[in-house]
Amino acid sequence: MKRRPASLAVRLTVSIGAVITVVLLTFGWIVERSINNHFIQQDVDELNAVVQALKHTLATLPPDIAPAELNQRFANAVSGHHNAQYRISSDSGALIYATPGSNLDRFAQIAQPVEKITIDTVGIWQDHGETFRGAVLRSGSDSFPAPRTLTIAVATGINFHLHYLDSFRDYLRIITVAACLIAILATWLAVHQGHAPIRRISREIRKIRSDQLHIRLEPQAVPTELVELTMSFNGMLERLEDVFRRLSDFSGDIAHELRTPITNLKTQTEVALSQSRSVEQYREILYSNLEEYERMAKMVSDMLFLAKADNNLLKPELVEIDLEAEIKVLFDYFSAWAEEREVQLHAVGGAVLVRGDRLMIRRALSNLLSNAIRYTPRGRSVTASLNLDADKASVCIANPGPIITPEHLTHIFERFYRPDSSRHRSSEGSGLGLAIVKTIVEAHGGRVSASSTADATRFEVVFPAAQHSVR
């Protein structure tokens, strides 16, 4: 089972909480490091002060000083630095003086002598549970008791500093954890409050029903970040409303279109059964019923074709087609009906090649020609003009007749739509012909348009031209 993604509130809270935690931990580490460096610098300053005092004492020693006075001078040299310990030895390793109670012998042996005591040159070691920070220096003496090089090991206890740092570190951890928890809680509350507009929009959306598709969200009443979402949702509602309206109209039109032939069949059957009739009379009634069956079959076939198109099930079988040849075939097919209506058929233009499904394109052109012949006055002509322009091939079918006003032209390719609603439907076809034309043309990557003036009504179909027909 696929897991549900984490909510936006949780994601934002975790992300921001993680950032705040890292920032607080980094800040705590910087503070701790700064305090530790401060303590080290204090120790370095104290060690340098001790070394300077010892060097001054060494420089002022008389050559013939007694050992007892020497020890006294070294003991008094660093008065005031009670935490400091030091050890002075000769270059041969002989001990000259060491502070009482100190044990710097091992440190003086393993530590690398340095020229100057700094934060980077001091070292740390432990002795009997005490922690020290110190350094070893070489110092020359011209008077003690003869010129020689002395080794000075100096150190200071740092247990107090370490205890303070441990306490501060524990306190800092508690403060950091508490601050992180407070920050995460505050972040969650802020995110929850920030999502209030989304929850309000969700409540408004839940109120919308199929009979309330006219309701729209107000883009001005939402934060800037949600304006695009609101406008997209309003656009979706508009499309749904249009689809529901067309579906409702479509259902009504289907019922109306099917009611007429069914009523005719029922009436004719009732009349036929009302009394005995001859074989010829029954034959005529059956022929009349057959026409109604054919009309219903054509209507159902057209609706199935449009349903396939709506579900992207139309798969044109592309072959090379000469539109001029197709027009001539259709002229031959409609010639008898055109003669009966005293309508002339004319073709203008040469060969125009396109790639498409021959039966589909022939059906689209047939629908346009049949409409043109139907509405052309007696004694007038229907003209089919073929044209090739760059990579576009077009067929324009024009006929004189009643003007189609602009408000009707925008809907002329909709299903069951007729500009003149007063016309008796039973004599005007199913009302799906132009919708099928548009579907077929668009399935071939083309477009169809209509225009109407006092001179003629024109339907123009444009297809992509076949490659080798582009001149």
Side-chain angles (χ1 to χ4, degrees):
M1 183 177 179
K2 189 175 181 179
R3 292 184 57 188
R4 182 189 297 275
S7 68
L8 292 178
V10 172
R11 293 183 183 184
L12 289 175
T13 301
V14 171
S15 300
I16 298 175
V19 172
I20 293 175
T21 301
V22 171
V23 170
L24 290 176
L25 291 175
T26 304
F27 177 75
W29 178 81
I30 292 173
V31 171
E32 181 185 351
R33 183 69 178 268
S34 177
I35 294 176
N36 187 46
N37 288 339
H38 174 71
F39 284 152
I40 295 175
Q41 187 62 52
Q42 281 186 336
D43 295 337
V44 168
D45 293 341
E46 182 176 3
L47 294 175
N48 280 323
V50 171
V51 170
Q52 292 299 323
L54 292 176
K55 287 183 177 181
H56 177 73
T57 300
L58 289 171
T60 59
L61 289 175
D64 55 350
I65 188 170
E69 185 179 355
L70 177 65
N71 291 338
Q72 185 63 37
R73 286 205 178 191
F74 279 132
N76 295 332
V78 291
S79 59
H81 299 277
H82 306 291
N83 201 35
Q85 299 181 11
Y86 53 92
R87 178 183 185 277
I88 302 174
S89 60
S90 63
D91 54 356
S92 62
L95 177 64
I96 297 175
Y97 179 82
T99 53
S102 64
N103 186 13
L104 301 179
D105 296 344
R106 185 170 179 275
F107 177 68
Q109 294 174 1
I110 63 175
Q112 186 72 23
V114 297
E115 296 181 358
K116 184 178 180 181
I117 299 177
T118 64
I119 291 178
D120 299 325
T121 59
V122 293
I124 295 178
W125 81 97
Q126 290 184 336
D127 182 36
H128 296 92
E130 289 286 333
T131 305
F132 298 91
R133 179 177 285 116
V136 176
L137 299 93
R138 300 283 190 185
S139 177
S141 175
D142 297 332
S143 58
F144 176 78
R148 65 179 67 183
T149 300
L150 304 178
T151 300
I152 302 175
V154 60
T156 181
I158 61 173
N159 277 355
F160 173 77
H161 294 170
L162 295 178
H163 289 321
Y164 177 83
L165 285 174
D166 289 340
S167 300
F168 177 77
R169 192 177 293 112
D170 293 338
Y171 179 74
L172 190 62
R173 288 195 186 102
I174 296 173
I175 294 297
T176 301
V177 171
C180 288
L181 293 176
I182 294 173
I184 290 173
L185 178 61
T187 300
W188 185 86
L189 291 175
V191 171
H192 182 76
Q193 185 63 27
H195 287 167
I198 298 179
R199 292 192 297 274
R200 187 180 70 251
I201 291 176
S202 298
R203 289 193 297 269
E204 294 178 3
I205 291 175
R206 283 196 294 269
K207 296 177 182 177
I208 299 176
R209 299 290 185 269
S210 60
D211 58 342
Q212 296 176 328
L213 294 177
H214 61 281
I215 296 177
R216 297 292 183 270
L217 301 179
E218 291 292 338
Q220 296 81 6
V222 300
T224 305
E225 294 80 4
L226 299 179
V227 170
E228 184 175 354
L229 174 63
T230 302
M231 296 180 67
S232 299
F233 181 77
N234 287 341
M236 182 189 69
L237 283 180
E238 290 179 3
R239 293 190 294 272
L240 286 176
E241 185 180 19
D242 180 64
V243 169
F244 268 76
R245 179 186 57 79
R246 292 172 58 186
L247 182 60
S248 177
D249 294 343
F250 187 66
S251 300
D253 288 332
I254 288 177
H256 185 91
E257 294 292 338
L258 292 177
R259 183 178 62 182
T260 300
I262 291 174
T263 301
N264 291 342
L265 289 171
K266 180 176 179 295
T267 301
Q268 292 175 6
T269 303
E270 289 176 346
V271 171
L273 295 175
S274 63
Q275 60 182 6
S276 298
R277 300 180 184 277
S278 64
V279 174
E280 289 300 323
Q281 289 175 328
Y282 281 123
R283 189 187 300 275
E284 290 179 3
I285 293 174
L286 289 176
Y287 274 122
S288 178
N289 289 349
L290 180 60
E291 291 179 359
E292 297 296 343
Y293 285 130
E294 289 176 348
R295 181 166 179 247
M296 286 193 295
K298 183 179 183 305
M299 187 186 306
V300 172
S301 175
D302 290 345
M303 288 189 292
L304 288 176
F305 181 87
L306 292 173
K308 288 183 179 180
D310 291 340
N311 291 279
N312 298 319
L313 298 178
L314 289 184
K315 304 297 181 183
E317 297 181 3
L318 301 181
V319 296
E320 193 169 275
I321 302 172
D322 183 354
L323 294 182
E324 182 185 26
E326 293 299 318
I327 291 294
K328 290 180 178 180
V329 169
L330 291 174
F331 276 7
D332 292 339
Y333 178 78
F334 287 113
S335 60
W337 183 37
E339 289 179 5
E340 180 184 346
R341 298 181 63 90
E342 299 180 9
V343 173
Q344 303 296 319
L345 302 177
H346 298 289
V348 179
V352 175
L353 302 180
V354 298
R355 286 188 59 80
D357 188 296
R358 187 180 304 276
L359 293 179
M360 287 188 185
I361 290 180
R362 183 174 295 180
R363 183 175 186 179
L365 296 177
S366 173
N367 288 348
L368 293 177
L369 278 174
S370 64
N371 277 352
I373 295 172
R374 179 179 294 113
Y375 295 113
T376 299
R378 293 182 179 274
R380 305 295 296 275
S381 300
V382 173
T383 303
S385 302
L386 296 98
N387 185 45
L388 183 64
D389 182 13
D391 58 346
K392 301 294 183 182
S394 64
V395 179
C396 180
I397 296 178
N399 68 283
I403 298 176
I404 304 175
T405 57
E407 62 267 21
H408 292 306
L409 283 175
T410 57
H411 303 284
I412 197 72
F413 293 102
E414 295 179 4
R415 301 171 190 183
F416 295 113
Y417 186 85
R418 291 185 180 84
D420 187 358
S421 60
S422 64
R423 288 175 177 162
H424 187 42
R425 291 176 180 259
S426 62
S427 63
E428 299 296 339
S430 65
L432 297 174
L434 292 180
I436 291 176
V437 171
K438 182 180 180 182
T439 299
I440 292 175
V441 172
E442 291 180 349
H444 286 78
R447 58 180 175 82
V448 59
S449 60
S451 61
S452 185
T453 64
D455 295 331
T457 296
R458 295 176 176 82
F459 288 87
E460 184 179 26
V461 176
V462 180
F463 294 106
Q467 290 297 325
H468 67 276
S469 67
V470 177
R471 298 190 291 270

